[in-house]
Amino acid sequence: MASDASAYGKPLPLMRGYTKEFYDFCKKRELRFQRCSQCGAWRHTPRPMCGECQSLQWKWEKVAGKGKVYTWTVTFQPLYPQFKAEVPYAGVIVELDEGPRMVSWVTGIDPMQLKADMPVEVWFDDVTPEVTIPKFRPVAC
Ligand SMILES: [Zn+2]
């Protein structure tokens, strides 16, 4: 499957450990984040210990996939040549309704039209046979 990954041509997540677990859920069309079993705090990016109560007890919990644009930055000059065809594009921090925030894309909208608190919902982009990336799109208010 390396040929498919090279056809994609963009950086891919390292598929190991917690990262692989996160993206394996995405492949199943599930957006899941770690949630502390002691205090209920969500966390992302994945790590073994809760930053709120230092518990090592947690589980992957599914979120509904709805949230809002928290903040973003628009890139006009691609840092990687593989993104040349994408500019201008926006790196967006989405805040899920359940609380965790994640870096992603908002597709289907000119990045100059992004607005704070814009409602978005997740969709899953199968960029290679192994890797599915969660992205977001605007939803009507
Ligand atoms: Zn905790």
Side-chain angles (χ1 to χ4, degrees), residues 7 24 38 47 61 63 66 73 93 119:
D24 283 349
Q38 290 288 113
R47 52 195 175 273
E61 283 201 20
V63 299
K66 296 191 181 298
T73 185
I93 296 179

Side-chain angles (χ1 to χ4, degrees), residues 46-100:
R47 52 195 175 273
M49 182 182 286
C50 177
E52 300 296 321
C53 75
Q54 290 72 52
S55 171
L56 297 172
Q57 304 301 311
W58 60 271
K59 57 186 173 181
W60 290 108
E61 283 201 20
K62 187 176 176 181
V63 299
K66 296 191 181 298
K68 61 186 179 184
V69 171
Y70 181 75
T71 191
W72 69 95
T73 185
V74 178
T75 297
F76 293 93
Q77 190 71 34
L79 294 177
Y80 292 94
Q82 303 97 315
F83 289 90
K84 188 174 180 181
E86 312 283 343
V87 292
Y89 66 86
V92 180
I93 296 179
V94 171
E95 184 175 85
L96 281 303
D97 288 348
E98 293 83 353

